[in-house]
Structures are given as structure tokens and as C-alpha cells.
Amino acid sequence: MEKTVVLVKPDAFQRGLVGRIVARFERKGLKLIGMKMIKISPELAKEHYAHLVDKPFYPGLEKFMTSDPILVFVVEGQEAIEVVRKIVGVTNSRKAEAGTVRGDFSMSTGRNTIHASDSQETAQKELARFFKPEELFEYDLKVWDYLYAEDEKE
Ligand code: IDP
Ligand code: MG
């Protein structure tokens, strides 16, 4: 089963949206296997946003992401990476579809409430970046048989 990483950004904390955002993933049927609050350091921000460090908006992005704690969590499920990115919506929240997290909760690109891994490679890197092996939990989700049919389980 695929695992993917979600960050709930400082704007969601300030706006009291954390619980509602996590609930979106729970109600979909994704299995929560790790979750914690952390404060991102400037070094970690540069690593996480390595693809953006040369952009003019990067200093503001780093300042914002390191300003307050964030929530980081991991969900597991069939095609979880793609499913989660769909729930998150596109980067510019004003263009994000209604029903997505960004489409429903944000008006902004720079304050878009949430991050999610965008590929299998990124998901693996982000898992290692934010979680120690012992912080991820393997447990039996009793409703598994109602989330997936026999031919959809691995
Ligand atoms: P993503 O979060 O949808 O994967 P990325 O292109 O990976 O989008 O950008 C990471 C984050 O950087 C975005 O979520 C957003 O907060 C910020 N960002 C991206 N592009 C811009 C921009 O043009 N202006 C300001 N912030 C941006
Ligand atoms: Mg991205």
C-alpha cells in the first residue's frame, strides 16, 4: 500500500482548520499511520523546498513555514499519493476545485493551508525527512474489508 506525507501549514493553525483538514483524509478512508507537531528549521525548509529555493518568493515561504509549528502526518491506502493530491487541490487555492482542501479553505497560493507529497519518489524522501521508523505505526484497521474489495487489496 502506498504511503504519503501531508503537512498542515501554520495558516491552518492560526485559522483553526487543523481538525477539519485531518478529517477530510479520515472520512475518505485513508489510514493514519503517523502524526506529530513539529517546528521546521530554516535548514529543513531549504531541503523540503529545494525545488523553490531560487524563486523570488522563497524567503517569504521559508519565513512562513518556520514561523509556527506545523502538523505532519502520514496516510496509507491504494494510490494514496494521487488520491491525497486530489483532496488537496492545485497550488493556487483560488483555482482549486470546490470540495478540495485548498478550494474550500483558502484564497491564496502562499497561504494554502496544506502540503502533500507529489510522487512516489517525493513521498519516500518526505517519509524519511519527517519520520523515524518507530514513529510510523503498523496496525490492523478493522474496517479494511469495507474500505476495499478483495481484488483491491495488495
Ligand atoms: P504544491 O504545494 O502544490 O506541491 P509547489 O510548486 O511544490 O506546490 O510549491 C510549494 C509551496 O510553495 C506551495 O504550496 C506554496 O505555498 C508556495 N508557492 C509556490 N508557488 C508560489 C508562488 O508563485 N508564490 C508564492 N508562494 C508559492
Ligand atoms: Mg510540491
Side-chain angles (χ1 to χ4, degrees):
M1 285 272 167
E2 252 176 37
K3 296 179 178 63
T4 190
V5 176
V6 180
L7 311 184
V8 184
K9 297 182 180 181
D11 51 332
F13 276 78
Q14 293 293 338
R15 297 177 52 211
L17 298 173
V18 177
R20 274 178 281 175
I21 289 174
V22 174
R24 296 285 177 113
F25 299 92
E26 280 190 296
R27 76 181 189 188
K28 177 68 171 169
L30 289 154
K31 181 181 176 183
L32 281 166
I33 60 164
M35 179 177 279
K36 61 182 177 177
M37 277 176 71
I38 60 166
K39 190 114 187 274
I40 295 197
S41 66
E43 294 69 37
L44 190 61
K46 285 183 188 77
E47 182 187 319
H48 183 66
Y49 287 126
H51 60 300
L52 300 173
V53 283
D54 296 328
K55 302 278 186 196
F57 61 83
Y58 180 77
L61 175 62
E62 180 181 301
K63 186 162 181 255
F64 168 63
M65 288 298 292
T66 60
S67 62
D68 283 323
I70 62 161
L71 181 74
V72 51
F73 64 92
V74 181
V75 292
E76 187 174 51
Q78 284 286 16
E79 299 174 69
I81 297 162
E82 189 186 338
V83 167
V84 167
R85 289 286 292 192
K86 272 202 178 124
I87 293 170
V88 166
V90 297
T91 311
N92 178 348
S93 303
R94 294 189 295 280
K95 309 275 185 237
E97 295 286 337
T100 64
V101 172
R102 287 168 173 169
D104 285 357
F105 293 134
S106 165
M107 282 292 285
S108 169
T109 298
R111 301 285 184 272
N112 60 7
T113 73
I114 191 165
H115 161 90
S117 313
D118 63 6
S119 67
Q120 300 216 6
E121 193 194 345
T122 321
Q124 277 180 8
K125 279 192 193 156
E126 292 180 355
L127 263 176
R129 180 171 303 144
F130 292 108
F131 287 88
K132 299 186 188 116
E134 64 268 27
E135 293 173 328
L136 296 176
F137 295 85
E138 278 185 30
Y139 63 97
D140 188 19
L141 198 60
K142 305 296 187 283
V143 295
W144 209 239
D145 288 347
Y146 301 95
L147 291 171
Y148 297 104
E150 286 309 320
D151 62 348
E152 294 169 316
K153 293 178 194 164
E154 271 169 18

